[in-house]
Amino acid sequence: MVARAARATDLPDLDGAVSACFACPRLVAWREEVARTRRAAFRDQEYWGRPVPGFGAADARIAILGLAPAAHGGNRTGRIFTGDRSGDVLFAALHRAGLANQPTSVAADDGLALRDTRIFAAVRCAPPDNKPTPAERDTCAPWLHREVALIRPTLRVVVALGAFAWAAWWPTLREVYGVRPPSPRPAFGHGAHWSGRAVPDLLGCYHVSQQNTFTGRLTPAMLDDVFDRAKRLAEVD
């Protein structure tokens, strides 16, 4: 898989390679089982049932790094954060920030476009219980590293949604930028900010999961603050 990722010459090429990955048996079995059985509300829909590529601008100055696709969201629609409650919250915030042309993301052909922003996940397949293992994260890492390498010329800020994504970023510094990650690693927290020399700034944000948004742990105002800060650091108007 490392070689397949390295051979990708551009983002469409990478997206095609990602969607054909079968590297993690547990994740393959789960994503395909979900696609066969389906949720009752979507029983008449054909599920994507494959790894979910990144989405957004090829010249992104801001990257949003998530955990993994949702079983009945991205695993159903084929686009990250599309068709689930987490996406409802995220894209509404991006629209308020002027980084998305519309506040909703319901299907891959709904006309959504991002400005100066690209979204991808540390793990590209939907995991059981929304909990990929560290080993699955490491196996999937070459896709993340190649995607960051392809947008490296313009990338200025990475927003990590949750501690899992925050942890996934540090190996990227070494693999893409040739920079040794800090030791000890900076702790994740909402609003956490790490900056290094000649690498993108890293911002921490609570994940846009229903557990966080329904309980008020993450509010729209908190999301707005993170994206306002990301825009300032990335010098996006």
Side-chain angles (χ1 to χ4, degrees), residues 42 110 157:
F42 309 123
D110 62 7
V157 178

Side-chain angles (χ1 to χ4, degrees), residues 109-133:
D109 60 355
D110 62 7
L112 177 67
L114 301 183
R115 181 175 72 89
D116 293 310
T117 305
R118 188 163 179 87
I119 303 176
F120 38 70
V123 173
R124 304 303 171 103
C125 292
D129 300 319
N130 293 320
K131 293 180 179 179
T133 67

